[in-house]
Amino acid sequence: MVVVRVAPSPTGDPHVGTAYVSLFNYAFRRKHGGRFILRIDDTDRTRYRADSEAAIMRELAWLGLSWDEGPDVGGAAGPYRQSERTDLYREACEELVRKGAAYRCDCTPERLEKVREEQQKRKEQPRYDGHCRERRLPPGPPHVVRLKVPLDGETTFMDGLRGAITIAHKTVDDQVLLKSDGFPTYHLATVVDDHRMGVTHILRAEEWINSTPKHVLLYHAFGWPLPKWYHLPLLRNADRSKISKRKNPTSITWYREGGFLPEAMLNFLALMGFSLGDDKEVFSLEEFVDAFEPDAIKTSGPIFDLQKLEWLNGVYIRQMAPAELARRLRGVSAVARDADERKLLTTIPLVQERMKKLTEYDELCDFLFRDAAPVGAEELVPKGRTPAETAAMLRRARDVVAATDPVPATLEAGLRALAEGGGWKAKDLLMALRFAVSGKKVTPPIIESMCVLGRDACAARIEAAAARLGG
RNA sequence: GGCCCUAUCGUCUAGCGGUCUAGGACGUAGCCCUCUCAAGGCUAAGACGGGGGUUCGAGUCCCCCUAGGGUCACCA
């Protein structure tokens, strides 16, 4: 049986990188059966944010990346918050010290800083100088516990995507495993928990490759079997640096509130690391899971292209059943939120192929639910027409609108006949009506829009516009 | 800088020695459709980083270089 996990740190907004790694873990678990664990890596008390854990779970759930075990659902290997497992890490550390694989260290931050400065002055690798390696400090006084990395030799481990990776021990620092506050660092906690939770496959970000030897050393010291690692490529900014808050929206919440659909996010994220073939770019989570093969994950870091995500989001919006789209719109659009259901539904066909994001609904449709902004002659009067002519034409159009059933084909026929009869181009009349009725230049099809708005409201707006032209 | 990873159009990618005068998608440009904007259709520009090998034959295998990225914390 396969056991995978994702271990986000509750230090801020739920990160899109967490969604990315979660997606692949989720697919792996779905493909091979087994369990997917959500573990909260809250061992850094200084960066901890109380609201972050709930936000992470909320956004992963929004994406549909469900987990089998976690802080909220529990499970046999709990607790699933590392801050609630500190006894385990402390015991593990004692075992390591006893076995000679780790040692206590009471060097002060000041001393470490000084050592680092000197090393840098001599252009050496900044790293712990081993001062406490052989001191055999007793438990008790304030100290940390460090991993006793062999001075010579190297560690080789297998990466599922890259094959064997070898790293010389002299480039591996005597990493702190247990901090002076009694909390473990990532390295200790992840190894202890992954083992105790039975994790068999670790799909995590590439940035961990260089510290994997530390983890291998820990597994060996404990006498535990190694999991299989898959280091996923890092999502990138446009300049190819690791994706970051300053250069990209990284909060999943931002995407949800910004009108992106979870299915589009998932599809896009999958595209950033996997290919279902050259002509298969739009696919469901189910299709992805079916096709997923861990060995086929990409190794090069993809640039997070917001434009392509938006395109994909538009594809999903267009594919969606109208009633479902209406339901989703209520979640993010202020206009749709408290709209009458029937009226909301009638607007869907007008906007479905015009939105890339759900949030665009407001800009497109607000005039159907609220008063339109008044516009002047500049907008209303077509080229080659006078304000007086336009006012007169608008009034005739108002009469047609007021006397015609609000059915697109009927209304269109009436208005086109009116334009033709008056020597107007239909598009000039319709553009004037667009401004008169909506107050703007770009709208959904104006005839359909007028039918949604209703005869009285349209007539009133058209009359108001004509009046503004001084007619 | 040391170490590690990566390398096909601007971007995401197909390609697993010959079918590659390198295919698709986003984006860009033009045209068509058209009441605006979209959507849709058609067309165009656009890539195998460089150098050595291996081989009858290399985008595809190997090496070097170059470039980009990651990592060198009592952060994850």
Side-chain angles (χ1 to χ4, degrees):
Chain A
M1 176 167 83
V2 143
V3 179
V4 295
R5 52 69 170 175
V6 63
S9 195
T11 53
D13 291 339
H15 200 275
V16 72
T18 301
Y20 183 64
V21 173
S22 298
L23 170 61
F24 285 95
N25 275 284
Y26 174 90
F28 195 93
R29 172 249 180 273
R30 285 282 308 278
K31 180 82 180 190
H32 299 285
R35 295 140 53 207
F36 174 36
I37 297 171
L38 172 64
R39 189 172 68 213
I40 299 298
D41 192 338
D42 57 350
T43 56
D44 185 340
R45 296 173 317 158
T46 58
R47 292 203 302 154
Y48 177 78
R49 263 184 43 189
D51 55 346
S52 188
E53 177 187 309
I56 288 166
M57 293 198 286
R58 181 186 69 229
E59 303 306 357
L60 288 181
W62 172 68
L63 286 167
L65 299 175
S66 52
W67 48 95
D68 303 293
E69 299 173 24
D72 54 338
V73 292
Y80 295 91
R81 280 182 204 96
Q82 292 185 322
S83 60
E84 296 169 10
R85 302 168 65 84
T86 51
D87 288 349
L88 255 28
Y89 311 126
R90 230 180 309 258
E91 287 164 23
C93 261
E94 278 165 30
E95 182 183 339
L96 290 172
V97 171
R98 212 183 314 126
K99 287 178 165 171
Y103 58 93
R104 299 190 184 90
C105 165
D106 64 358
C107 293
T108 61
E110 293 72 33
R111 194 187 101 77
L112 295 175
E113 185 49 39
K114 213 182 106 200
V115 168
R116 247 192 294 275
E117 275 175 25
E118 288 169 1
Q119 286 168 330
Q120 274 164 352
K121 220 181 302 171
R122 277 178 270 137
K123 298 201 333 202
E124 289 172 13
Q125 288 313 291
R127 52 175 302 181
Y128 183 62
D129 64 353
H131 180 255
C132 297
R133 255 176 98 98
E134 309 298 342
R135 289 177 65 205
R136 297 184 177 283
L137 258 25
H143 66 272
V144 302
V145 175
R146 286 181 184 275
L147 179 64
K148 197 168 185 179
V149 178
L151 270 7
D152 301 309
E154 58 195 29
T155 287
T156 297
F157 62 94
M158 293 302 293
D159 179 275
L161 308 180
R162 289 162 254 262
I165 295 176
T166 299
I167 293 175
H169 290 152
K170 64 181 177 195
T171 69
V172 182
D173 205 358
D174 277 5
Q175 184 63 235
V176 169
L177 301 176
L178 198 66
K179 299 181 264 190
S180 55
D181 64 2
F183 281 80
T185 59
Y186 170 87
H187 308 282
L188 207 224
T190 196
V191 168
V192 169
D193 288 343
D194 284 342
H195 175 257
R196 297 189 77 107
M197 294 180 177
V199 172
T200 56
H201 298 258
I202 298 179
L203 283 71
R204 64 173 14 163
E206 188 181 16
E207 55 188 333
W208 293 109
I209 285 181
N210 282 302
S211 44
T212 304
K214 295 168 187 171
H215 308 158
V216 173
L217 256 14
L218 285 169
Y219 277 100
H220 286 339
F222 286 120
W224 295 337
L226 259 27
K228 183 158 186 184
W229 282 283
Y230 290 85
H231 288 96
L232 271 24
L234 253 16
L235 260 17
R236 313 287 190 94
N237 297 311
D239 64 4
R240 295 216 169 268
S241 57
K242 173 165 82 166
I243 195 166
S244 64
K245 217 193 231 175
R246 287 278 46 111
K247 297 177 180 175
N248 250 310
T250 57
S251 162
I252 308 173
T253 306
W254 184 89
Y255 290 93
R256 178 172 53 77
E257 294 180 342
F260 289 91
L261 300 170
E263 42 273 74
M265 290 294 294
L266 252 20
N267 191 156
F268 177 71
L269 255 13
L271 237 26
M272 300 277 88
F274 201 83
S275 172
L276 298 210
D278 56 341
D279 60 344
K280 188 72 176 173
E281 290 212 298
V282 180
F283 47 79
S284 68
L285 180 57
E286 294 307 307
E287 288 177 293
F288 174 58
V289 167
D290 284 344
F292 180 71
E293 211 48 70
D295 297 351
I297 298 172
K298 299 302 160 243
T299 47
S300 54
I303 290 173
F304 193 97
D305 182 358
L306 198 53
Q307 276 197 316
K308 185 147 185 176
L309 205 210
E310 289 184 346
W311 164 75
L312 200 50
N313 205 57
V315 170
Y316 277 90
I317 286 176
R318 273 171 256 134
Q319 282 179 353
M320 192 166 279
E324 176 63 10
L325 180 53
R327 193 183 70 77
R328 307 265 192 132
L329 281 168
R330 287 187 189 279
V332 292
S333 156
V335 169
R337 183 145 31 238
D338 25 57
D340 171 76
E341 177 69 8
R342 286 193 54 184
K343 183 169 179 182
L344 177 58
L345 247 21
T346 62
T347 66
I348 299 297
L350 311 195
V351 299
Q352 188 155 16
E353 66 187 28
R354 275 167 244 273
M355 291 189 294
K356 289 206 292 248
K357 297 179 284 186
L358 298 177
T359 43
E360 289 165 8
Y361 184 80
D362 289 17
E363 176 61 25
L364 243 23
C365 287
D366 56 354
F367 75 96
L368 296 173
F369 296 88
R370 300 169 181 171
D371 288 344
V375 295
E378 176 85 4
E379 290 84 8
L380 290 167
V381 181
K383 276 193 175 58
R385 301 287 172 186
T386 65
E389 280 178 306
T390 305
M393 179 51 95
L394 281 175
R395 288 218 160 87
R396 272 177 280 164
R398 174 205 59 195
D399 292 340
V400 169
V401 170
T404 308
D405 285 342
V407 174
T410 312
L411 181 56
E412 178 163 13
L415 290 172
R416 282 186 186 279
L418 169 67
E420 206 174 317
W424 275 51
K425 285 189 284 189
K427 62 197 310 177
D428 284 346
L429 204 217
L430 291 170
M431 202 62 211
L433 285 170
R434 185 187 315 283
F435 272 116
V437 170
S438 76
K440 46 191 161 190
K441 185 177 185 198
V442 175
T443 70
I446 197 58
I447 290 167
E448 283 81 349
S449 296
M450 288 194 289
C451 291
V452 170
L453 244 191
R455 293 196 280 196
D456 293 348
C458 287
R461 290 184 192 187
I462 295 166
E463 169 56 30
R468 252 177 275 122
L469 289 176

